[in-house]
Each structure stands twice: as structure tokens, then as C-alpha cells.
Amino acid sequence: MSKCEQCIVRELSSLKALNKDELIKLADCKSTYTIKKGEPIFEEGETINGVFCIKEGVCKLTKLSANGKDQIVKLVKSGELLGQRSMISEEPTNLSAVALEDMDVCFIPKSEVMSYFNSNNQFSMEVMKTICGDLKDADDHMVSMAQKTVKERLAETLLFLENNFGTNNDGTLKIQLTREELAGMIGTATESCIRLLSEFNKNDLIELVGKKIALKDKTKLKKLSE
């Protein structure tokens, strides 16, 4: 079993506020899972009674829309915690979390997390900061969806994917979303997303390498996204 006090990813979340004794105690009560690509970590409406710490891999947080399609709300990478908000509000999860690649995640029971929340002021402040950050991101996303065109949102999303998740050796985006997932992120129909990608490709903004995407002219993409 990996030791929480030696785990590097803890520095990337509110867990960084815990002291060594608390981390040793945490290691004794957590469970570690391997989640295969395409599998859910949890589903919308589930009661999870704890938080998940992402040790390795990336997942998508999705919301089922009225038309039965999954809208991608956020992409989450290693070091982040999932389930903090529903744990504190004592409500079922508002989103589903599905692995975009094979993942290693640790589950920490609610009783353990809440004991630190009550005894370690710095930890509770870090959790609150994270939730506030998520709210700010949600506000920004809502404004972007309302005020930007689909073309602007696609340019913005492609830049976001490269800046946050990097590229492969061949220069293509490391996070390979399906055309449907990409359409879900920018809030449009899959056909419109495919049409726009072809247009970006024709105008030398991007290069389509099979199913993969490489960004060719980031300056123009940035200008377009603004």
C-alpha cells in the first residue's frame, strides 16, 4: 500500500494542509483502485460517502442533459480530489466521473476527511478554496457558453487541452477526446464540431492526424478564442 506522506500528488490538493501524523492515519484507512478507460469512478446521483484522490490519469466530469446527452463540465487530472462538494453539502453527486484513460485513484472515507475538516483549520480553508475555485470556473464557463460563438469556444477548448494536458511526441493533443466528447465540451452538435475541425484544418490552424489533433497556429487560435 502506498504511503500518503510519500505521495507527491497530495501536494496538488487540499491534502497538502495535513501534517505527517494525519497523512499516516489517512494511509491506513484509504482504499486504492484501478479504473479502466471508459469506466465510471462514480455516477450522477450516487452517494459516495468520501472523496477520491486522483493518483494517476485523467477523467471527465459530465452532466446528463435533458436531451439525454452527456455534457462535459470539466476535465480532472492527477492530484485533484473528487466529491468534496457533495460530501460537505451531504447531497448525492451532481456529476458523473468517467476515466478518459486508465487511472489509479484512492478513496478516503467521509468520517476521516471530516475529522480533519473539524480539527485542521488550514485543511478546511483549502477545501473551501477549491470549491470556490470550481464555482468561479463554472461562472466563467457559463458566460463563455452564452457570449462566445461555437467557433470561439472550440479554439478556446483546443488551447485549454494543450496547455493543461500537454502533447504526445508527434505534437498531437495528449488527451484524445472523441468528436462527440469535444462537441459536448463546447455545447454543440457532433456534426457542427466535425465541420469546424475540418475548417480549422483547411485554414492551417490545426492538423488532423487520423482521430488525433495537433495545434499548428496557436497565435491565430488564441486570437480567435478571444
Side-chain angles (χ1 to χ4, degrees):
M1 185 184 278
S2 57
K3 297 178 176 181
C4 295
E5 71 275 15
Q6 291 171 1
C7 181
I8 300 162
V9 302
R10 76 169 198 284
E11 285 298 325
L12 304 172
S13 70
S14 25
L15 297 178
K16 66 176 176 276
L18 300 181
N19 63 42
K20 194 178 177 188
D21 288 344
E22 288 169 328
L23 288 165
I24 289 168
K25 202 165 161 237
L26 196 67
D28 289 338
C29 69
K30 72 172 172 62
S31 321
T32 305
Y33 301 95
T34 298
I35 312 277
K36 291 286 175 199
K37 181 180 177 174
E39 286 181 357
I41 300 172
F42 54 79
E43 293 183 345
E44 191 177 331
E46 213 176 295
T47 303
I48 53 175
N49 288 320
V51 296
F52 290 92
C53 176
I54 300 178
K55 196 173 176 191
E56 193 70 48
V58 178
C59 70
K60 59 178 179 178
L61 294 181
T62 64
K63 181 99 183 136
L64 199 62
S65 59
N67 64 4
K69 287 195 171 178
D70 276 332
Q71 173 83 38
I72 295 184
V73 175
K74 191 182 177 189
L75 298 179
V76 183
K77 55 186 174 182
S78 65
E80 296 191 54
L81 297 182
L82 297 177
Q84 296 176 98
R85 187 178 63 190
S86 53
M87 180 187 68
I88 289 164
S89 65
E90 297 188 326
E91 291 172 342
T93 55
N94 189 40
L95 306 168
S96 295
V98 179
L100 283 173
E101 55 188 24
D102 290 354
M103 299 180 74
D104 289 328
V105 300
C106 296
F107 177 74
I108 308 158
K110 179 180 175 178
S111 54
E112 201 62 39
V113 183
M114 290 312 284
S115 72
Y116 301 140
F117 197 82
N118 294 324
S119 65
N120 182 326
N121 192 38
Q122 190 58 41
F123 174 67
S124 48
M125 281 302 292
E126 290 293 341
V127 172
M128 287 304 163
K129 271 189 209 165
T130 305
I131 293 170
C132 290
D134 286 345
L135 278 172
K136 180 181 177 292
D137 291 345
D139 288 344
D140 291 345
H141 184 65
M142 190 168 63
V143 170
S144 170
M145 291 294 258
Q147 295 182 353
K148 290 190 175 183
T149 65
V150 177
K151 193 181 281 191
E152 287 165 344
R153 293 201 299 270
L154 178 58
E156 182 179 53
T157 300
L158 291 172
L159 288 165
F160 167 82
L161 290 172
E162 179 166 310
N163 292 338
N164 286 272
F165 302 97
T167 55
N168 298 308
N169 293 335
D170 62 358
T172 57
L173 296 175
K174 195 165 256 181
I175 288 297
Q176 200 183 326
L177 297 173
T178 65
R179 300 299 187 248
E180 196 172 5
E181 285 170 334
L182 197 50
M185 266 193 95
I186 61 175
T188 192
T190 308
E191 301 74 36
S192 305
C193 181
I194 292 168
R195 200 166 52 244
L196 277 175
L197 285 171
S198 296
E199 188 186 314
F200 280 16
N201 187 51
K202 200 170 72 185
N203 295 334
D204 281 335
L205 298 175
I206 63 170
E207 185 184 355
L208 297 175
V209 188
K211 296 267 184 208
K212 298 192 283 186
I213 301 169
L215 307 193
K216 279 178 82 177
D217 195 334
K218 284 181 263 194
T219 309
K220 277 190 185 164
L221 281 169
K222 188 155 185 14
K223 209 171 172 195
L224 180 57
S225 74
E226 292 163 349

